[in-house]
Amino acid sequence: MSENLDKSNINEAGKSKSNDSEQGLEDAVESSEGALQKKIKSGSASTQGAQRPPSSPPRFVTVEELVETAKGVTNMALAHEIVVNGNFRIKPVELPEDSLEKRVKDIVHKAFWDCLSVQLSEDPPAYDHAIKLLGEIKETLLSFLLPGHTRLRNQIREVLDLDLIQQEAEHGALDISKLAEFIIGMMGTLCAPARDEEVNKLKDIKEIVPLFRAMFSVLGLMKVDMANFAVSSIRPHLMQQSVEYERKKFQELLEKQPNALDFVTQWLEEAAGDLADRTCGRALPAGGGAAGSGDAPVPVPVPDAAAVQDRAYLRLLRWDHLRRPFPETVLMDQARFQELQLQLEHLTILGAVLLVTFSVAAPGVSSQADFAEKLKMTVQILLTDMHLPSFHLEDSLTAIGEKVCVEVSSRLSLCGFSPLTADQETALKGQIQAVASPDDPVRRIVDARILTFLETCLASGHQKPLPTVPGGLGPVHKELEELAVKFVRLVNYNKMVFSPYYDATLRKILVGP
């Protein structure tokens, strides 16, 4: 038994199967998996009054089918998380201090280590538990090796030969300290540089039981490091396999739940309607095309399928997550789209405030890069908690208005210009305060330009560099480009997986059955 009671190993080439690693993976995708399984099981549920599109007749499923579906969803979510999240890391499981699970774990561990201490204190010492621990350590060290580590593998097997150790224990010739010294040296050879300090500390522990306990703790961290190394190594090769795997799993889900594309259909229909309305507005003649004018009716072109998809993805950045179910094919990325939505709102407010401010300041001041950056940082700090329910935008904009007026007047004076007059300060504060309203003209302009930029980025696909940032958004170009890169990467991967379903659905919507 060990500090990490889970007796799982990381296989060769870093394929981790440890319970800690598996728990870390499951934690990373728990929200996505749970949401998708909930969607699977709710055959006809609607969310807070949202209208569900017509669906296929419900059918009864067995418990075995539900379990099998849940497993498929779990595996699909894990593969998706690894590919999409470039910062994905497996973390050691940390139980809450006051949780029942932690108390039980501590009690069991203490009982085990106390038992080991009693055995080693006997005369002669009993090594049954100690030999089992050495066996676990041996298997763990071997699991860290790659196929080419032949010399290290032979060395571990030779020194930690359990049959030989058992014979030495029976004849009173077993030297636990010598074996521990070898283990610590091997751990130092195999561990990541970040673990050197923890391994070196093991050399200072002289008592056997505390030493074994500390070794297992460090070995648990090394398992996590190895799993993360494996994840980073396979990610470049996992993309295509993951696309095919996710598509296969979703197809299996669709066969079990024929209504699994209902919300996708509604989502794409709304996007097609948006484009049709915009196209109709452009196609109308200047006089509005009144009946009896003698003009031939203006044909309205069918929206392009790719443009409809791009419009649909943009709609996800304006989604009402509390009132509307999320489309099934993007459900695993709902949390990411919510995060992008918050970033977009934050960027819109920031861009609007800076646009208003620089329109008031003298050109010689507003064009100074250091001043623009300082002012942007000031506004960003005051908008830091914008994602919290307790945040009040009006109050923050009031504080921003006060701070901006001080900064602008100070810089104007420093550059030899007259500071803002009382009337100018009042007007600037009022314009900044007005940004709180979604209907504010400046805010709407900034919002429209950001969405147009994102739409252009989607249309350009993988082309680099990114399109030119629209006018008025220069001060936030860095943040806007970072948002665009995240958004385009997420959308492109989703298209790779689900494009066959989108194409088939759009053919029905745009052309008809």
Side-chain angles (χ1 to χ4, degrees):
M1 182 172 179
S2 65
E3 179 69 14
N4 180 358
L5 292 177
D6 304 315
K7 296 180 59 178
S8 300
N9 297 321
I10 304 173
N11 295 328
E12 289 186 354
K15 294 182 180 178
S16 171
K17 295 289 185 180
S18 69
N19 287 345
D20 279 356
S21 301
E22 186 174 317
Q23 181 65 45
L25 283 165
E26 291 175 356
D27 289 344
V29 297
E30 181 179 349
S31 59
S32 299
E33 175 193 342
L36 189 53
Q37 290 189 39
K38 182 178 180 182
K39 183 83 67 137
I40 294 170
K41 297 174 183 178
S42 59
S44 59
S46 61
T47 305
Q48 297 188 11
Q51 291 292 326
R52 184 184 181 96
S55 60
S56 304
R59 71 180 183 89
F60 293 103
V61 295
T62 65
V63 174
E64 289 76 13
E65 287 178 312
L66 284 177
V67 170
E68 189 63 30
T69 301
K71 288 180 181 179
V73 171
T74 301
N75 294 335
M76 182 170 63
L78 293 176
H80 182 84
E81 186 70 22
I82 291 173
V83 172
V84 173
N85 186 0
N87 297 320
F88 177 79
R89 294 291 182 275
I90 300 170
K91 297 180 181 179
V93 177
E94 296 182 2
L95 301 175
E97 282 296 327
D98 298 329
S99 67
L100 176 62
E101 186 177 358
K102 187 176 189 308
R103 291 200 297 270
V104 171
K105 177 182 176 181
D106 291 343
I107 292 171
V108 173
H109 280 201
K110 185 179 184 303
F112 174 81
W113 294 113
D114 288 347
C115 181
L116 177 63
S117 179
V118 169
Q119 283 193 345
L120 296 179
S121 300
E122 294 178 1
D123 187 18
Y127 292 107
D128 295 347
H129 281 22
I131 292 175
K132 290 180 181 178
L133 292 180
L134 290 173
E136 285 191 39
I137 292 175
K138 174 184 177 181
E139 294 303 318
T140 300
L141 292 176
L142 290 174
S143 72
F144 293 151
L145 301 180
L146 297 177
H149 291 160
T150 305
R151 184 181 61 82
L152 292 178
R153 182 175 290 102
N154 292 337
Q155 191 175 1
I156 293 172
R157 287 174 175 170
E158 179 181 347
V159 176
L160 297 180
D161 184 337
L162 297 185
D163 292 336
L164 179 60
I165 291 174
Q166 182 67 45
Q167 293 177 16
E168 291 177 345
E170 292 173 354
H171 293 83
L174 180 60
D175 188 348
I176 291 286
S177 300
K178 184 178 179 181
L179 293 177
E181 183 180 346
F182 167 79
I183 292 169
I184 294 173
M186 190 59 65
M187 289 171 65
T189 301
L190 298 176
C191 73
R195 302 300 176 195
D196 286 342
E197 184 177 353
E198 285 97 331
V199 173
N200 288 332
K201 288 180 180 179
L202 297 176
K203 299 176 183 179
D204 299 329
I205 304 176
K206 303 304 180 184
E207 297 183 19
I208 297 300
V209 174
L211 177 57
F212 266 94
R213 192 165 189 169
M215 283 194 298
F216 273 99
S217 178
V218 177
L219 285 171
L221 296 176
M222 291 174 61
K223 287 182 180 181
V224 175
D225 295 338
M226 191 63 182
N228 283 322
F229 171 74
V231 168
S232 62
S233 299
I234 67 174
R235 182 179 285 114
H237 311 287
L238 188 61
M239 176 70 75
Q240 187 57 42
Q241 289 86 343
S242 180
V243 168
E244 297 173 357
Y245 180 74
E246 287 191 46
R247 189 182 299 159
K248 175 185 175 183
K249 288 298 179 182
F250 188 81
Q251 180 60 38
E252 293 174 0
L253 169 65
L254 193 60
E255 291 171 359
K256 291 183 174 67
Q257 302 290 331
N259 61 347
L261 282 174
D262 287 352
F263 292 126
V264 169
T265 302
Q266 186 182 39
W267 170 50
L268 294 176
E269 285 175 345
E270 292 170 354
D274 285 350
L275 282 184
D277 292 343
R278 188 168 66 174
T279 304
C280 286
R282 291 176 180 175
L284 285 175
S293 61
D295 295 331
V298 179
V300 178
V302 176
D304 177 67
V308 173
Q309 285 189 44
D310 291 345
R311 172 61 58 171
Y313 286 115
L314 288 174
R315 289 180 64 87
L316 297 179
L317 298 178
R318 288 286 182 267
W319 202 264
D320 186 348
H321 295 272
L322 294 178
R323 297 181 179 276
R324 296 199 58 190
F326 216 57
E328 295 88 346
T329 52
V330 288
L331 193 60
M332 284 195 296
D333 288 317
Q334 183 171 12
R336 293 186 179 86
F337 278 106
Q338 284 180 294
E339 182 181 352
L340 291 174
Q341 186 172 346
L342 292 173
Q343 292 178 13
L344 174 60
E345 185 178 358
H346 182 279
L347 188 58
T348 301
I349 300 296
L350 175 63
V353 169
L354 294 179
L355 183 60
V356 166
T357 302
F358 292 140
S359 67
V360 173
V365 173
S366 58
S367 61
Q368 295 179 5
D370 63 328
F371 175 66
E373 190 65 25
K374 179 182 179 182
L375 199 61
K376 181 175 70 174
M377 290 296 296
T378 300
V379 178
Q380 283 180 319
I381 290 172
L382 293 173
L383 292 175
T384 300
D385 297 331
M386 192 170 170
H387 63 287
L388 299 177
S390 58
F391 180 83
H392 296 288
L393 181 58
E394 295 81 0
D395 296 341
S396 294
L397 289 175
T398 299
I400 289 172
E402 296 287 346
K403 185 65 176 176
V404 163
C405 286
V406 171
E407 294 289 344
V408 171
S409 292
S410 176
R411 182 53 66 105
L412 286 172
S413 299
L414 188 64
C415 295
F417 297 100
S418 300
L420 296 176
T421 65
D423 290 342
Q424 287 176 321
E425 285 192 1
T426 301
L428 179 55
K429 292 177 183 177
Q431 292 181 51
I432 292 176
Q433 189 68 41
V435 172
S437 172
D439 296 325
D440 176 65
V442 177
R443 177 171 171 176
R444 292 181 65 180
I445 289 173
V446 171
D447 182 69
R449 290 179 181 178
I450 291 176
L451 290 178
T452 299
F453 178 75
L454 294 177
E455 189 171 18
T456 304
C457 291
L458 287 182
S460 62
H462 300 278
Q463 294 181 7
K464 294 183 178 180
L466 292 173
T468 304
V469 172
L473 299 181
V476 295
H477 73 92
K478 180 180 178 182
E479 292 78 7
L480 179 56
E481 289 175 351
E482 289 176 354
L483 175 65
V485 169
K486 292 179 184 177
F487 181 59
V488 171
R489 182 186 296 126
L490 191 59
V491 167
N492 284 341
Y493 182 77
N494 186 266
K495 285 182 177 180
M496 290 171 63
V497 177
F498 297 105
S499 57
Y501 302 100
Y502 296 149
D503 293 341
T505 302
L506 285 172
R507 278 195 296 270
K508 296 178 182 178
I509 295 173
L510 301 178
V511 181

